[in-house]
Amino acid sequence: MTLIACRDLTLAYDQQPVIAGLTFSVSPGDYLCIVGENGSGKSTLVKALVGLKTPSEGEIRMGEGLRPTEIGYLPQQSEIQRNFPASVYEIVLSGCMAYLGKRPFFGSAERKRAETALNRLNLSGLKNRPYGELSGGQQQRVLLARALCATSKLLVLDEPAAGLDPLISKDLYRMIKSVNRDEKITVIMISHDVQNAVAEASHILHLNKKPLFFGTTEAYLETSLGKLYREGIAA
Amino acid sequence: MIQEIALMLSFPFMVRAFIVGSLVALCASLLGVSLVLKRYAMIGDGLSHVGFAALAFATALDLDPIRVSIPVTVLVAFLLLRINESAAIRGDSAVAMISVGSLAAGVLIISVSTGMTTDVCNYMFGTILAMSKSDVTLSIALSVIVLILYFIFYNRIFLITFDEAFARTTGIRVDFYNMLLAGLTAITVVLGMRMIGALLISSQLILPALTAMRLFKSFRAVIVCAAIVSIVSFIAGLSLSYFAATPAGASVVTAQLFFFLTFSLIRKIRQAEPARGR
Ligand SMILES: Nc1ncnc2c1ncn2[C@@H]1O[C@H](COP(=O)(O)OP(=O)(O)OP(=O)(O)O)[C@@H](O)[C@H]1O
Ligand SMILES: [Mg+2]
């Protein structure tokens, strides 16, 4: 029973491989954290998962009736315009695009979906506020709500807490965890916050050009990599 | 005053200019919001110069200006989009090169063939007298098509303007809609060139959008405001050009600048107020 499986995956820019020979799989309900240093290819990997990048070798297979357009994606912050003139509601509603089919306009079902996502992330009060005037943490919550609108199966989040202060990050992680636990939505999240990853994720994928580790969090803590972090926490 | 306005509207060419001009101004302002936000403003500017070259070419060969310029400009629009997005060469510089290149080519073609006729001058600076009846019909039909397409694809255009990557993941054919935007812009630019002139038409795309963004912060409000500013500026500018015998294009752009400065001032005042309250 796998939701998404990568086999011998190689991803490259202009023939220069960024990731080579990566094999892993994610089951429904899993919470996978992808960790690794800057430039280790984490964003490239999730772009391949959501269909923005074609693998140069290997394959990505989706199971459980998951269609590529049913993934809720949250891009890395640098790729979003922070001062874009749009209201919170306009942005969250646009997450329902995959449900639009051939219709030109959103109907009541999509509007309800957007409302639910807004409520889920405590954004109802900000519904009509301009996106550009929100704090970084609020903006990330809006993008998370949009991703939630786009899926009821799999969230793929690229550093949702980057640049947020520890308290706000914690809040965001808590919401992600509760979405994973209560709504049984699978989560694949890139994070530099290994402490949080170890605390909340069910699986860890540690990348550094080549895959260093893939497995459950418990197993990760037993490896030399994981031990390093555990000692870090203890210290 | 009312009598003078009635007199102005008794000239059929003025009525035609108001109708066609307002429609084109509306199209330009809607498309302009996406162009500005997607940093495609250079493409609009480049297209006006390409349109000018196509027109010079058509005039030299004694072909119908609009019916030749539109397909050529649409094709070049697709090309510019490609160039702008390719990471290999500096996209914006390449667009600028094509832009000045076509301007030079246009001027050369004109000087070799017919010389600087008034017709060509009209295209560079705009005139309300340049439109034949069949041009008017074609312009109205094309701008209505542009408006309908924009309306139908509004939600998709919003999403590809805000976040192309996310748009792709929802299954939207982003490249198709980018081409649609570029193609519609090309049509609008050629239609607008006759009245505003090739040298000033890109302000029609950019200024109303920038003006609306001074004060409005939701996409829909920006679109509506840009549309209103654009139409009002056009009507004001064209009336000014009628009463003061000034060139139409320059008058319209002046009206747009007036709105831009006014909106900027209001924004300044608004921003200053809470600070004073503290
Ligand atoms: N569009 C691109 N064209 C060419 N090379 C790229 C492109 N995007 C990324 N790269 C390269 O691929 C490598 C991996 O990039 P990626 O963005 O996946 O890293 P990352 O692990 O997400 O880093 P970070 O933690 O900084 O976000 C980097 O060396 C980067 O230079
Ligand atoms: Mg990254």
Side-chain angles (χ1 to χ4, degrees), chain A residues 38-39 41-44 76 79 158-159 190 192:
Chain A
N38 293 126
K42 305 180 297 298
S43 295
T44 308
Q76 193 160 2
E79 293 167 26
D158 196 341
E159 297 194 36
I190 296 179
H192 283 290

Side-chain angles (χ1 to χ4, degrees), chain B residues 79-134:
Chain B
L79 183 74
L80 289 184
L81 199 62
R82 269 281 163 75
I83 293 174
N84 201 47
E85 278 171 3
S86 73
I89 33 173
R90 287 297 309 253
D92 51 350
S93 331
V95 172
M97 251 163 59
I98 291 185
S99 169
V100 288
S102 14
L103 192 59
V107 174
L108 275 185
I109 293 173
I110 291 164
S111 68
V112 170
S113 59
T114 50
M116 279 285 182
T117 61
T118 44
D119 203 32
V120 169
C121 258
N122 286 345
Y123 276 100
M124 289 188 90
F125 299 105
T127 173
I128 47 171
L129 299 168
M131 299 228 274
S132 70
K133 267 240 175 65
S134 80

Side-chain angles (χ1 to χ4, degrees), chain A residues 8-143:
Chain A
D8 281 332
L9 194 65
T10 298
L11 300 169
Y13 291 104
D14 312 315
Q15 261 104 79
Q16 287 290 319
V18 171
I19 291 180
L22 176 62
T23 300
F24 72 97
S25 65
V26 178
S27 305
D30 280 1
Y31 184 152
L32 172 69
C33 255
I34 303 175
V35 297
E37 16 182 298
N38 293 126
S40 55
K42 305 180 297 298
S43 295
T44 308
L45 171 62
V46 301
K47 279 184 185 150
L49 294 180
V50 300
L52 294 175
K53 175 132 191 66
T54 358
S56 46
E57 270 171 61
E59 61 169 354
I60 299 171
R61 201 183 293 152
M62 301 197 178
E64 300 281 308
L66 179 72
R67 275 175 297 159
T69 57
E70 283 179 320
I71 300 175
Y73 175 53
L74 192 157
Q76 193 160 2
Q77 262 173 38
S78 53
E79 293 167 26
I80 297 270
Q81 306 188 38
R82 309 201 125 258
N83 279 318
F84 195 88
S87 70
V88 167
Y89 185 66
E90 282 178 314
I91 291 177
V92 174
L93 186 63
S94 75
C96 298
M97 197 60 74
Y99 300 88
L100 212 49
K102 295 243 180 299
R103 284 177 295 144
F105 303 112
F106 294 112
S108 58
E110 286 87 26
R111 278 195 286 273
K112 213 162 135 209
R113 218 182 148 78
E115 294 283 352
T116 313
L118 284 169
N119 286 333
R120 193 78 183 73
L121 295 176
N122 296 334
L123 285 168
S124 317
L126 302 176
K127 192 176 152 185
N128 295 315
R129 285 277 299 278
Y131 176 75
E133 290 177 3
L134 300 181
S135 72
Q138 290 167 331
Q139 287 188 332
Q140 286 304 91
R141 260 194 289 155
V142 171
L143 297 182

Side-chain angles (χ1 to χ4, degrees), chain A residues 159-186:
Chain A
E159 297 194 36
L164 306 184
D165 73 51
L167 236 68
I168 304 283
S169 309
K170 217 169 164 192
D171 211 40
L172 195 70
Y173 287 137
R174 205 173 34 77
M175 285 179 188
I176 294 168
K177 181 70 189 171
S178 84
V179 166
N180 169 249
R181 194 182 43 223
D182 304 341
E183 265 131 88
K184 304 278 177 284
I185 294 180
T186 311

Side-chain angles (χ1 to χ4, degrees), chain B residues 149-180:
Chain B
L149 286 175
Y150 189 89
F151 189 66
I152 291 177
F153 294 125
Y154 170 82
N155 282 308
R156 287 155 174 100
I157 290 174
F158 167 76
L159 190 52
I160 63 153
T161 305
F162 177 54
D163 188 348
E164 275 193 14
F166 182 87
R168 278 214 169 83
T169 67
T170 65
I172 290 190
R173 287 166 302 154
V174 171
D175 300 325
F176 168 78
Y177 289 103
N178 276 334
M179 280 172 76
L180 185 75

